[in-house]
Amino acid sequence: MNLLQAIILRDLRIAYRQGSSAMLGVGFFALVVTMVPLGVGPERDVLLRIAPGILWIGAALSSLISLDRLFHADAEDGSLDLLLSLPLPLELVVLAKTIAHWISSILPLILISPFLAMMLGLPADAIGGLAIALLIGSPAFSLLGAIGAALTINTRRGGLLLTILVLPLYIPTLIFGVQSVGAGPGAGTDAITANLMLLTAITLISAVLSAWSAAAALRINAN
Amino acid sequence: MSAFLSMGGYGAYVWPAYFAAALVLGLLTVWSLRKLKAEARQLERLESQLARHGERRPRPPATSQSAN
Amino acid sequence: MWKYANPRLFLDLAEKLLPWFAGLTVLLFAVGLYISLIGSPPDYQQGDSVRIMYVHVPAAWMALFCYVFMASASVVGLVWRHALADLAAKSTAPIGACFTFLALFSGSFWGKPMWGDWWVWDARVTSVLILFFLYLGYIALWETIEDHARAARAAAVLAIVGVIMVPIIKFSVDWWETLHQPASVLRFDGPTIHASLLWPLFTMALAFTFFFFTVLLIRMRTEIIQQRIRALRLAAIEE
């Protein structure tokens, strides 16, 4: 357990020292959300209708920004080989690094999402629903993103390829996440609960899938 | 014949679909065959190059190290 | 299957099979096209536009079949280290991508007279589009990683992740569609397909299948040759 904590803390410390990761993601998120009314028009009912979608898509895209650095730095300075030789299953190491990524890159997004949601006209209870949905669903972004990050270490244009590989995998989280927010059609509490449960299921499946495949990809790319 | 071409009025939709299928699958086949021939030629050239190279000077004894 | 992990034996087998597969493909397409375009009646509801179905449905079936085939080959290559399984997976991807594209294209041309739109965001169309992106990503990964052995294993992992996610994605897109049901819905199959429509459908499906195996054999031969070229070049450098 200590080893896992150490890995998480180390990644958090690196992210904090670099600073850019969280701020870049937040900035990108805010920019994307800002561009939508500029592109689509400021009518309240239009924005309200598409707000959950914009926020979830913005979060998805923002999480992609920091993903290619998930294993990149370790691959460069050789600490990847160290991680592989730890007396800890690589799958758990992957989960630990993913947790650190989520805390440092995605949690900030969730923290500013209420402000952005308000700017798009979401009512207060929907904002609460959005925050909960993001908390439950966004770990899937980190987890599935880790798969892409592990597969594309050491490749040129790895970041772009990562995006293409990972975005289709984000789709279930996107769909259930948007429908959990309760501003769209079918927005009764039963529907919201159903969507939240499906969202949880997706995140859990992502955790298992990511642990196995990202670890496998790391072993493949580490030689 | 014109009934055949017009396909009950839907000709503008049926024929592009079939032609697209023929085109895509045809191009795929042609491309695959051309790549096969090109690579086969490459291999021949390489093999004859190495054979000639081996004739000109005696090959050193093969090392036990094999390329993985 | 294990006997044919040896490239030499596989090449011999491929050489014997190829003319048969190619011949069957041509024959099946000839028969299939005749039945599809001439030898079958128009649908009582959709008229002659139903003939697009004889290209569209087999293409969609093959798109999915190829992905599952690719993932299965990936498992065999990753878990059992069958030397040619990776090559089979790699060879399948462009063929599957072509089928997927054809399914979308022909579906679009079927949708316009039927639904009035060139594109409709319904569950099936959207799922096939996502499948197309999955194929492209898989091909891109092979192209991007330079070392062949590494690319093979990474692509195998990707294919397996993909095949696990595909039902989940399909389910979520179906779920999404039911919430956004358009006012008028014209389903692709309509009422049960009449028997006279099944013959052209199955013949074309069989033709597509044999086409797949024919091109697969061609591409695998190419892959094996490329493998030999790489080995020779490596040996030449080491001299």
Side-chain angles (χ1 to χ4, degrees):
Chain A
M1 198 46 214
N2 267 332
L3 208 46
L4 275 177
Q5 287 174 329
I7 297 175
I8 298 178
L9 283 173
R10 170 181 170 269
D11 270 22
L12 285 177
R13 236 175 279 134
I14 294 178
Y16 177 70
R17 239 178 274 141
Q18 285 183 344
S20 55
S21 180
M23 284 304 109
L24 262 179
V26 165
F28 183 80
F29 189 29
L31 262 171
V32 165
V33 171
T34 304
M35 289 194 77
V36 172
L38 289 170
V40 148
E43 295 105 68
R44 286 208 81 77
D45 35 333
V46 171
L47 288 180
L48 178 59
R49 179 87 177 69
I50 60 177
I54 301 172
L55 291 161
W56 270 100
I57 293 173
L61 295 177
S62 305
S63 66
L64 286 172
I65 293 187
S66 46
L67 271 170
D68 61 339
R69 251 170 286 119
L70 186 57
F71 299 115
H72 198 79
D74 296 320
E76 282 186 342
D77 68 11
S79 31
L80 195 58
D81 296 319
L82 256 171
L83 288 174
L84 267 118
S85 59
L86 285 176
L88 202 64
L90 193 57
E91 287 76 6
L92 286 183
V93 174
V94 164
L95 285 180
K97 288 187 71 73
T98 308
I99 293 174
H101 173 268
W102 184 81
I103 295 176
S104 61
S105 300
I106 301 194
L107 196 51
L109 303 178
I110 303 180
L111 291 175
I112 64 155
S113 66
F115 301 103
L116 298 174
M118 176 269 297
M119 285 158 60
L120 292 174
L122 271 184
D125 50 350
I127 296 182
L130 171 74
I132 294 177
L134 280 174
L135 278 171
I136 297 178
S138 61
F141 289 159
S142 289
L143 289 161
L144 296 168
I147 304 179
L151 284 171
T152 56
I153 299 180
N154 291 335
T155 54
R156 309 155 277 127
R157 316 291 301 283
L160 202 51
L161 178 60
L162 190 160
T163 305
I164 296 180
L165 296 181
V166 160
L167 276 177
L169 305 180
Y170 279 5
I171 286 173
T173 300
L174 175 65
I175 290 177
F176 297 128
V178 169
Q179 289 171 186
S180 305
V181 177
T189 29
D190 283 341
I192 295 179
T193 315
N195 282 296
L196 280 174
M197 289 177 69
L198 287 166
L199 196 61
T200 314
I202 301 293
T203 301
L204 291 173
I205 295 175
S206 306
V208 176
L209 193 57
S210 168
W212 168 74
S213 51
L218 280 181
R219 284 189 201 102
I220 290 169
N221 277 321
N223 306 335
Chain B
M1 183 57 181
S2 75
F4 179 64
L5 281 177
S6 80
M7 282 288 161
Y10 291 112
Y13 302 103
V14 173
W15 291 117
Y18 276 83
F19 277 123
L23 190 68
V24 170
L25 298 183
L27 284 177
L28 178 62
T29 313
V30 167
W31 175 49
S32 304
L33 283 170
R34 290 181 73 171
K35 195 158 176 234
L36 175 62
K37 291 205 183 86
E39 294 295 318
R41 248 180 287 132
Q42 264 267 35
L43 182 62
E44 258 188 61
R45 233 180 295 140
L46 201 54
E47 280 180 331
S48 62
Q49 252 180 20
L50 287 174
R52 262 180 283 129
H53 191 76
E55 282 167 9
R56 247 178 267 137
R57 66 170 169 83
R59 285 165 125 242
T63 55
S64 55
Q65 207 42 292
S66 65
N68 188 14
Chain C
M1 170 174 87
W2 284 108
K3 189 160 71 132
Y4 297 109
N6 180 334
R8 189 91 299 154
L9 279 179
F10 180 84
L11 280 178
D12 290 339
L13 176 69
E15 218 154 313
K16 277 189 224 116
L17 285 177
L18 196 54
W20 287 103
F21 280 1
L24 267 169
T25 304
V26 173
L27 185 64
L28 284 166
F29 267 124
V31 173
L33 283 172
Y34 175 79
I35 303 181
S36 301
L37 292 168
I38 304 173
S40 68
D43 180 65
Y44 79 97
Q45 249 192 359
Q46 301 178 40
D48 284 290
S49 76
V50 78
R51 302 187 192 278
I52 301 181
M53 180 177 81
Y54 308 137
V55 166
H56 169 79
V57 173
W61 282 349
M62 290 309 296
L64 199 54
F65 171 78
C66 284
Y67 199 83
V68 174
F69 183 86
M70 200 172 85
S72 311
S74 297
V75 171
V76 173
L78 202 60
V79 176
W80 285 284
R81 310 283 177 135
H82 191 295
L84 295 179
D86 296 327
L87 300 181
K90 183 182 182 193
S91 306
T92 305
I95 313 178
C98 284
F99 284 135
T100 314
F101 172 80
L102 272 181
L104 290 171
F105 188 90
S106 58
S108 179
F109 273 77
W110 199 16
K112 179 66 175 144
M114 285 299 106
W115 294 349
D117 279 311
W118 288 108
W119 185 271
V120 180
W121 289 98
D122 90 323
R124 247 182 290 192
V125 177
T126 311
S127 299
V128 174
L129 180 65
I130 297 172
L131 186 65
F132 188 58
F133 287 123
L134 287 174
Y135 271 118
L136 293 183
Y138 178 85
I139 295 172
L141 190 63
W142 266 108
E143 299 290 307
T144 308
I145 299 182
E146 282 152 5
D147 179 74
H148 186 270
R150 196 179 289 195
R153 299 204 306 277
V157 170
L158 181 63
I160 295 171
V161 169
V163 89
I164 293 174
M165 287 300 286
V166 158
I168 300 177
I169 295 174
K170 178 75 169 67
F171 172 76
S172 68
V173 175
D174 284 345
W175 182 270
W176 165 81
E177 185 195 35
T178 57
L179 244 69
H180 298 266
Q181 194 76 188
S184 71
V185 180
L186 266 170
R187 302 299 301 163
F188 258 148
D189 5 75
T192 47
I193 299 182
H194 193 260
S196 63
L197 302 184
L198 285 177
W199 279 113
L201 191 59
F202 285 142
T203 316
M204 288 297 271
L206 217 55
F208 272 60
T209 309
F210 273 96
F211 173 84
F212 163 66
F213 281 114
T214 306
V215 178
L216 178 68
L217 284 180
I218 295 173
R219 298 192 73 90
M220 282 188 72
R221 283 176 70 183
T222 311
E223 290 294 328
I224 293 176
I225 291 176
Q226 281 178 323
Q227 193 171 286
R228 177 120 184 87
I229 291 177
R230 277 193 304 269
L232 282 181
R233 287 210 175 114
L234 208 55
I237 295 173
E238 286 187 347
E239 253 181 28

